[in-house]
Amino acid sequence: MQPPQSASVLDNAILVLPARATAALGFAPNLGDKGEAKSLWFGRVWQYRVLLAEKYRLARLGKHQPMADSFDMAAISPELVLRIQRVVRGSLARRRNSLHLLDSLKDVNIRGFCIF
């Protein structure tokens, strides 16, 4: 696992997930609580993102469908393409610096998690 080249403050934050969240995500626990068996997951937010991306990649393996050949990029004006790129880049930057990555745990009955 390689750290991101331009890590934000959130990327370097440390995240501790409780046992239920660890089991729901399918992560291997790497931290025990007060001498008990390992049941918690401890790591940086960028590591959490990498693990979720790998889990998604494995789930999508073999399910890729090619795009239709009927899409004509020449019909779109270059100004519109640049505007769309700016909007998408801004949206991705805002999303990357939010805690949306914990949305996958909203249906798991947990009391909380720790980010510091």
Side-chain angles (χ1 to χ4, degrees), residues 38-110:
K38 292 181 180 181
S39 61
L40 308 172
W41 185 85
F42 177 85
R44 297 205 180 266
V45 172
W46 69 262
Q47 292 170 325
Y48 178 79
R49 282 191 177 126
V50 168
L51 290 173
L52 285 181
E54 183 64 17
K55 183 178 174 184
Y56 176 77
R57 187 188 70 78
L58 292 174
R60 294 288 301 165
L61 201 61
K63 296 182 181 179
H64 177 71
Q65 296 180 3
M67 290 181 62
D69 292 334
S70 62
F71 186 71
D72 185 18
M73 193 64 181
I76 300 176
S77 70
E79 294 83 18
L80 180 61
V81 171
L82 291 175
R83 184 172 177 216
I84 291 171
Q85 286 176 346
R86 283 195 304 268
V87 169
V88 168
R89 283 185 190 133
S91 175
L92 289 175
R94 285 187 300 276
R95 187 170 168 87
R96 184 163 182 83
N97 291 319
S98 71
L99 292 175
H100 80 280
L101 53 106
L102 298 171
D103 288 348
S104 60
L105 298 174
K106 66 182 177 185
D107 296 330
V108 179
N109 187 18
I110 57 173

